[in-house]
Amino acid sequence: MAASRSATARKRALPSLRSSALVLGLLAIGIAGWWWSQRDAAAAVGAYRTATVESGDLRVAISATGTLAAISTVDVGSQISGQVTDVLVDFNDRVRRDQVIARIDPSTYQAQIAQGSAAVSSARANLATAKATLANAEVDYKRKAELVGQQLIARSDVDLAKAARDQALAQVAAAQAQITQQQASTQTSQLNLERTVIRSPVDGVVLTRSIEPGQTVAASLQAPVLFQIAEDLSKMEIVLQIDEADIGQVKSGQGVNFTVDAFPDRAFRGKVQQVRLSATNTNNVITYPVVVSVDNADGVLLPGMTANAEIEVSRRDDVLKVPNAALRFKPADDAAPADGAQAQPRGSLAGEVPKLAQSLQLNPTQQAAFDDALKQMRERMAARMAPTNVPQGGGSALFGRGPGGGPGAGNGNSGGDMSGAMRQRMQERFNQQFAAFRATLDAAQQGKWDAGVNALVGARRAPVYKLVDGQPRLAMVRIGVSDGTNTEVSGDIAAGDAVIVGAQRAAQPKAAQ
């Protein structure tokens, strides 16, 4: 009896064991499939090198090297020759305007002044003699003129008296001219005597001194430079040589950061003051001088220091940025998304125009006109995106298509680039498409709309590839400024997205043992 009950229990337990085994088998198959799919996904992810899209600041700068110098540097020279008797200032001395800084031996010019004074006295004595002779000749002429009227003397005697009078008048004039000449000569000697005292023409600091007491200064051909004085070292300047390829980005008022070797851990600031037009050709390299003004209130910067400067030509705050390698990446043909996979990328105008319209705060009538124009635009896009309507040689970026017929196809980051003529034609078609909508806008809205359309049409576009579920996915983005490492992007991309920057190298087979 007991054996019969045991057999019956075993018969009932068999179906339960079979069901449990079946469940365990199905569970094992599911786990194996999940593991296999995860391994394939991990293998796909591992096939690419990626970078994360970040939000931050981008700063575009032009690097150049220049030399610090005082804004105004005066070369103090000598207009006369002579021996230096006194040098009253030295290097780095502060001087004031009209302060005596050197003297030249004045004895030569003092002697010339004494000689000139004697010559003036002699000329004055000659003048007195000439005047006395003139007075005598005048009296003689008058007397003989009266006698000739009485016919007591001959007419020839009167003519001789008149000639003597005129000759005495000329002698008086010559004596007066001689006095003026000697006075001028003496005045020249007096000026040269004053020039033996060298004075500072400005308030400043002595940078260089090229004379010593006892040295002879020769100023026969040109004025020798005795001192070099910087007028004000609290304000300095840097003259940078900027390449012609970058000079178009440099404007007055732009900020400049620079460092000097004397203070490598300290950053200094300046401002572009002037972009000079005088180009310099050095070995067929054209550069333009750019003057940067520098505040040196603390006096730590010295003339002649080499400045390693960066001119900040553009700055973008809180923008999305990707590595430049992401704009150059193009997947292999077997990994590239098929044509038409994204018939309307959000990076195209069709995806960005609604954002522009939303910023205009449209009323219901204007919104209806915009929706109608956008609908027609998308219909035209769909027709152009059809395989049978793809033009040979590429499509139009207006419809989210890049060169090569595919959406955003292209080589490197040139996929969204267009010629000026193509941009103009695209803008004309766009304006025609939205002409009825634009007519419903007021003047302020029209201005904002036109500016936004110009910015969208003129923007450069490029393809990037995001890694989504282990597969590359094309995204057309607008690109902005670049600092050489990262580039500003906007469009079908967000912070935190993984963009592909390259493919992993295939593992090399091990050499045979």
Side-chain angles (χ1 to χ4, degrees), residues 147-234:
L147 292 176
V148 77
Q150 300 174 6
Q151 297 183 352
L152 298 176
I153 61 174
R155 185 71 185 177
S156 59
D157 294 338
V158 176
D159 293 339
L160 291 173
K162 183 180 179 182
R165 184 200 65 175
D166 293 342
Q167 186 177 4
L169 282 172
Q171 290 176 350
V172 170
Q176 290 176 339
Q178 187 178 10
I179 292 174
T180 303
Q181 180 182 4
Q182 293 299 330
Q183 287 176 340
S185 178
T186 303
Q187 186 177 6
T188 301
S189 299
Q190 184 64 40
L191 288 175
N192 288 334
L193 179 62
E194 294 176 358
R195 289 168 180 166
T196 60
V197 179
I198 309 299
R199 301 177 183 272
S200 172
V202 295
D203 296 338
V205 179
V206 177
L207 297 182
T208 61
R209 188 197 75 184
S210 57
I211 58 171
E212 297 290 342
Q215 183 176 344
T216 300
V217 175
S220 56
L221 299 178
Q222 62 181 2
V225 177
L226 310 182
F227 301 92
Q228 191 176 64
I229 299 177
E231 187 170 356
D232 184 10
L233 291 182
S234 64

Side-chain angles (χ1 to χ4, degrees), residues 300-317:
V300 297
L301 297 175
L302 304 179
M305 285 184 171
T306 300
N308 303 308
E310 288 186 344
I311 302 176
E312 188 176 285
V313 298
S314 178
R315 183 181 180 88
R316 300 282 292 168
D317 297 330

Side-chain angles (χ1 to χ4, degrees), residues 378-460:
R378 286 174 172 167
E379 290 175 353
R380 290 180 58 189
M381 287 173 56
R384 287 178 177 265
M385 291 292 291
T388 58
N389 293 333
V390 175
Q392 295 295 326
S396 170
L398 172 62
F399 308 107
R401 302 178 65 86
N411 186 8
N413 62 352
S414 61
D417 291 343
M418 296 179 292
S419 66
M422 183 181 296
R423 292 182 188 276
Q424 184 176 359
R425 291 195 301 268
M426 184 176 69
Q427 187 164 3
E428 290 174 354
R429 291 197 300 268
F430 189 88
N431 291 337
Q432 293 174 359
Q433 185 71 46
F434 286 87
F437 162 69
R438 186 181 182 278
T440 64
L441 303 177
D442 57 32
Q445 289 176 320
Q446 286 181 356
K448 191 173 182 179
W449 169 262
D450 293 340
V453 169
N454 291 336
L456 291 175
V457 173
R460 295 181 298 161

